[in-house]
Amino acid sequence: QVQLVESGGGLVQSGGSLRLSCVGSGSIFSIYTMGWYRQAPGKQRELVAQMSSGGRTNYAESVKGRFTISRDNAKNTVVLHMNSLKPADADVYYCNACPPLASWGQGTQITVSS
């Protein structure tokens, strides 16, 4: 069973930056498009960034130009670089395949102070 572990969240001031990391077990990383999702309490989980196995990326309009996704298939790692953070970015962030295939991890919390 594939397990995903996210890390790197925390408290940051508006305009600041964070780097999220996701490490997974199994072969999911090398085969599938991987993505970062976020979810606020009471809201649906949304996909904010994705990268195909070949390196093609796609971003939600709300984060385009500020977030960058990268992956290292050899290390089963997906990274999300987040710049110019806004209070609206404050959510729990998760990684998974696109569409989701593995069980969701615990996620990592982002808090942005204004």
Side-chain angles (χ1 to χ4, degrees), residues 95-109:
C95 73
N96 210 316
C98 302
L101 294 173
S103 298
W104 294 98
Q106 293 297 310
T108 185
Q109 175 76 55

Side-chain angles (χ1 to χ4, degrees), residues 3-101:
Q3 291 186 324
L4 301 166
V5 179
E6 301 91 350
S7 63
L11 172 64
V12 63
Q13 287 188 330
S14 183
S17 300
L18 282 174
R19 178 184 180 275
L20 306 184
S21 181
C22 172
V23 180
S25 61
S27 61
I28 186 173
F29 279 81
S30 62
I31 297 173
Y32 297 106
T33 294
M34 295 297 299
W36 280 94
Y37 301 74
R38 66 186 182 188
Q39 186 173 27
K43 294 187 178 181
Q44 273 194 321
R45 194 167 285 156
E46 65 167 332
L47 177 65
V48 296
Q50 59 181 308
M51 175 176 269
S52 71
S53 58
R56 187 172 63 251
T57 59
N58 195 29
Y59 298 91
E61 285 298 321
S62 59
V63 307
K64 198 172 289 185
R66 301 187 296 120
F67 291 10
T68 302
I69 188 172
S70 61
R71 64 191 290 170
D72 186 335
N73 292 336
K75 297 181 179 180
N76 283 355
T77 300
V78 182
V79 172
L80 186 67
H81 294 272
M82 311 164 69
N83 296 319
S84 302
L85 283 162
K86 306 174 182 179
D89 296 317
D91 282 324
V92 180
Y93 284 71
Y94 305 86
C95 73
N96 210 316
C98 302
L101 294 173

